[in-house]
Amino acid sequence: MTVHSSSSEPKSTSTTDKTRRKKPHWLLRVGLWTSGLLLAGIATLVLLVGIAMAVAFPNLPDISDLSDYRPKLPLRVFSSEGALIGEFGEERRHLTPIGEIPKVMKDAVLAIEDARFYQHGGVDYKGILRAALANLGRIKSQGASTITMQVARNVYLTSEKTYTRKIYEILLTFKLEHLLSKDQILEIYMNQIFLGNRAYGFAAAAEAYFGKSLQNITVAEAAMLAGLPKAPSAYNPINNPKRARSRQLYIIERMLDNGFITAAQAEAAKLEPLNVKSNADNTSVHAEFVAETVRQLMYAQYGDAIYTRGLNVYTTLNAAQQDTAYKALRRGIMNFELRQFYRGPEKFVSLPSEPQAMDDVIDEVLQEHPDNGDVISAVVLDATPKKIQAIRQNGETIEITGDGLKPAQSGLSDKAAANIKIRRGAVIRVVQTAKKTWDITQLPEVEGAFVAIDPRDGSIKAMVGGFDFEKNKFNHVTQAWRQPGSSFKPFIYSAALEHGITPATVINDSPLFFDAGVTGGQPWEPKNYDGKFEGPMTMRRGLAKSKNMVSIRILETVGAQNAQDWVTRFGFDADKHPAYLTMALGAGSVTPMQMASAYAVFANGGYRINPWLISRVTDQKGKVLTQTQAPALDESMRTIEARNAFVMGSLLQEVTRTGTAASAQATLKRPDLYGKTGTTNDSMDAWFAGYQPTLTAVTWIGYDTPRKLGARETGGGLSLPVWIEFMAQALKNVPVMESTVPEGVVNVGGEWFYDEYAGTAGVTSLGLNKGANPNQPHVMPMPAADEKRKILDLFR
């Protein structure tokens, strides 16, 4: 037993040793096989990638054009001072060389997008590893695309996520790094990247979101803009301020971590309040009608290339005067609107009781009815006859009480019709008063126009073609053909001066009647605006008081055909002013621009000038393509004698001193103002046209489809206040100017006469002697300066 047992022990040990010797050999074989397969896999992968690259490389796009980077650049329109007033193009972009991009903007972008941009060769392997670890560790998600990779993707590739596109992206990245310098790549990125609201590049984004030049942005603003490339919609500070703010704070931390800013700068940036624009319109001046006019002129010359070529157009527009004109016209129209019946809310919606659902409904309906400048849209939350509570698009809740309810009192009545009843869910309009209270109002149906030109050269200084460009793109300054009413009378009076009639001529303001035999149609019995007749008065007084009977008798004397020929000297179309007596009352058709250039003839001493708008055009690099010099007045441009313009100026000055526009001189406290009110038949058009020797301006207000403005609405009440408000600002620091007396006129007894009518005779009368030929003025002796004129025969 013992021997047997002892003899069996060595055998067992031998078997174990053999097993142990075999096990390492088996593991080695498995390891070798695994390594072999892995190497084979890697070799196969490398081979496949090599084959893919060999196939893909010849198909890569030619990127040599990036060495002279020329992206699509919009047409940009500027005022004479360089203020941006309009952009046209698929992409809103302002090409900015890398040397002009502020360091703070570059640092903010590098901090969040590619901190090792200047160290890696296009693909940041350390960054890829760090991003992978960060994402696995559930730290704030980080990306691995370098700026060079983003340039390759954004300029040449689609957004599809495939392995093929990724290979192309990497190949293009290496190709870009080989062809371009780091600064060139960064410049392309900073100008090419889409940042929301049609803004491409950070220069355009600075204007779109902050309304300022890229060179003037702060650390806080740079951090906000740098957050946009990842998701321009999600981090848009206009539409998503909370998310934008969160990303801005993160980027400030990244700038601090990378040593781009100090801790003190970071803290200051976090506390800095940002003035984000309420919309993405880059322009600081409301000159939409001017910008559109420029676009049309440029398109006629360059075609579709204007939207991508990067042309810069500089206009004659004065930004301050344009801003004043825009505000003055809108204020004039809104003041008129206060006197109209309330037409009811713009829409009604059902507001859910659940807060989030209600907010969604309000957001949606107010996007359909956006704010119109200072005319704000709001949704009514509660309404009683004494108070309206409403909410704006920005979430602000407002209350309207007291006098603020008066414009819509009919909509608060218990008996109000359903379509005008103000109730919960109604979409209304409000305006904020100077006292920071709110008034209810409504978008106007009436339209208007304002234009101002320099009469010395014809350059357009301000042009507002309507109440709101988005609401109605029809340019009433250049496209609206309307009856000018009494504002046309000065051109008839100008013709009269050439036919022996003087400012002292006495004319009978008495009733007139023309039967069908005279008119060739319906009998005509014209009236004065106020329905009253005041008998004999001088031509000067007749114009100042805008007496229709006086104008008609003057035209009878001059002759309708002669007058028609005369008005063409001012730029009016003869076919739009038929040679009938109705021409004396402005029954023809004019545009506000025509009226401005016509009144400029009086302002500049008798020269016909053509309004012009574009002073120069440059390409994206500033090279001047075309340039217009302001024309100098010379005798070849003379259309009426200087003495005619001078005497007419004296008559028009009387209108602003004692006549229908007397509030002009009374308000502006200066005598060098000249002009004429105009109100057409049935008050369908309200005009004021006037000038100061350095500036001619015209205001028109009326409905697009002509209808009565109201029995008491006149050019003096509607349009003149707009003109006065504009001139109050435009003429600040402009010295009072006295007209130089030209040759051929003389002052007798305080009145101006042509030399040939200043002798022993000169005071004439029209329509006073029975049986007299109305086409021949009745010559009366010149009375003494202090003697009252006594007219015995008052009626024909």
Side-chain angles (χ1 to χ4, degrees), residues 486 489 527-532 545-549 679-680 682-683 710-715:
S486 296
K489 288 177 180 176
K527 304 287 185 183
N528 286 320
Y529 170 76
D530 58 7
K532 300 177 181 179
K545 301 192 74 172
S546 198
K547 290 295 187 177
N548 291 340
M549 303 306 109
T679 309
T680 61
D682 291 329
S683 298
R712 297 183 180 181
E713 304 295 352
T714 65

Side-chain angles (χ1 to χ4, degrees), residues 435-736:
K435 297 179 179 179
K436 302 301 181 183
T437 59
W438 293 92
D439 289 353
I440 191 168
T441 187
Q442 56 191 344
L443 283 176
E445 292 182 343
V446 75
E447 273 294 353
F450 185 94
V451 60
I453 67 175
D454 187 332
R456 298 166 296 183
D457 60 19
S459 56
I460 298 172
K461 297 302 179 184
M463 182 170 73
V464 185
F467 179 79
D468 179 69
F469 182 77
E470 294 302 322
K471 176 173 170 277
N472 185 351
K473 293 179 172 58
F474 185 78
N475 190 341
H476 297 84
V477 169
T478 59
Q479 297 176 289
W481 290 92
R482 307 293 294 224
Q483 288 188 346
S486 296
S487 63
F488 194 75
K489 288 177 180 176
F491 307 106
I492 305 301
Y493 280 54
S494 174
L497 295 177
E498 303 303 313
H499 286 76
I501 302 176
T502 75
T505 298
V506 177
I507 305 157
N508 198 6
D509 176 32
S510 60
L512 286 170
F513 178 82
F514 301 92
D515 60 27
V518 175
T519 64
Q522 296 294 320
W524 182 42
E525 186 175 8
K527 304 287 185 183
N528 286 320
Y529 170 76
D530 58 7
K532 300 177 181 179
F533 303 97
E534 299 185 28
M537 63 180 62
T538 63
M539 183 172 84
R540 174 179 292 276
R541 195 64 188 150
L543 184 63
K545 301 192 74 172
S546 198
K547 290 295 187 177
N548 291 340
M549 303 306 109
V550 172
S551 297
I552 293 171
R553 284 192 165 96
I554 288 175
L555 183 55
E556 279 188 298
T557 302
V558 172
Q561 186 61 59
N562 291 332
Q564 184 190 52
D565 294 340
W566 185 259
V567 301
T568 60
R569 292 170 176 255
F570 297 87
F572 296 115
D573 303 315
D575 61 336
K576 292 189 180 295
H577 300 274
Y580 301 121
L581 291 179
T582 52
M583 183 166 51
L585 308 185
S589 296
V590 300
T591 66
M593 184 67 83
Q594 273 191 332
M595 291 293 281
S597 58
Y599 269 77
V601 174
F602 295 139
N604 63 30
Y607 299 96
R608 170 88 176 274
I609 49 95
N610 292 315
W612 57 287
L613 183 60
I614 296 176
S615 59
R616 75 180 187 276
V617 180
T618 70
D619 65 13
Q620 63 182 30
K621 294 185 178 180
K623 179 183 177 182
V624 176
L625 303 179
T626 62
Q627 189 158 6
T628 302
Q629 296 294 335
L633 299 178
D634 61 58
E635 290 306 307
S636 67
M637 303 164 66
R638 181 168 294 285
T639 189
I640 63 174
E641 290 185 359
R643 64 178 186 170
N644 186 296
F646 176 81
V647 174
M648 283 307 306
S650 173
L651 294 174
L652 292 171
Q653 189 178 36
E654 189 70 31
V655 176
T656 64
R657 187 175 70 89
T658 65
T660 56
S663 58
Q665 289 195 35
T667 303
L668 298 177
K669 308 298 182 185
R670 56 189 302 154
D672 58 339
L673 304 174
Y674 314 77
K676 182 68 185 77
T677 54
T679 309
T680 61
N681 195 33
D682 291 329
S683 298
M684 292 188 180
D685 299 90
W687 293 82
F688 185 77
Y691 61 90
Q692 189 269 350
T694 64
L695 199 60
T696 300
V698 173
T699 308
W700 166 84
I701 292 176
Y703 289 101
D704 277 339
T705 301
R707 71 176 196 256
K708 293 181 180 181
L709 290 165
R712 297 183 180 181
E713 304 295 352
T714 65
L718 270 179
S719 294
L720 177 58
V722 175
W723 189 91
I724 291 174
E725 181 177 340
F726 171 79
M727 284 296 192
Q729 294 298 319
L731 297 181
K732 276 186 175 180
N733 303 319
V734 176
V736 172

Side-chain angles (χ1 to χ4, degrees), residues 704-776:
D704 277 339
T705 301
R707 71 176 196 256
K708 293 181 180 181
L709 290 165
R712 297 183 180 181
E713 304 295 352
T714 65
L718 270 179
S719 294
L720 177 58
V722 175
W723 189 91
I724 291 174
E725 181 177 340
F726 171 79
M727 284 296 192
Q729 294 298 319
L731 297 181
K732 276 186 175 180
N733 303 319
V734 176
V736 172
M737 300 179 66
E738 292 185 7
S739 299
T740 302
V741 180
E743 293 183 1
V745 295
V746 63
N747 190 285
V748 178
E751 188 56 271
W752 294 102
F753 297 92
Y754 282 7
D755 280 347
E756 56 266 39
Y757 303 120
T760 57
V763 178
T764 60
S765 62
L766 300 182
L768 299 179
N769 295 323
K770 292 181 180 179
N773 184 343
N775 293 320
Q776 294 295 326

Side-chain angles (χ1 to χ4, degrees), residues 280-355:
D281 182 8
N282 287 2
T283 61
S284 58
V285 181
H286 280 287
E288 295 85 353
F289 289 98
V290 175
E292 173 58 18
T293 300
V294 170
R295 185 198 68 79
Q296 293 175 16
L297 293 171
M298 297 303 295
Y299 187 85
Q301 184 170 356
Y302 295 102
D304 288 332
I306 65 170
Y307 303 119
T308 58
R309 189 173 169 181
L311 299 177
N312 297 312
V313 183
Y314 294 87
T315 67
T316 60
L317 206 72
N318 181 290
Q321 291 182 14
Q322 176 67 26
D323 185 60
T324 300
Y326 172 81
K327 292 176 180 176
L329 181 63
R330 283 177 65 94
R331 185 174 291 109
I333 289 176
M334 291 307 297
N335 286 341
F336 169 79
E337 195 59 48
L338 291 174
R339 300 191 290 272
Q340 309 310 303
F341 290 110
Y342 186 62
R343 295 183 293 274
E346 295 178 19
K347 189 173 183 177
F348 297 94
V349 294
S350 177
L351 296 181
S353 57
E354 198 275 316

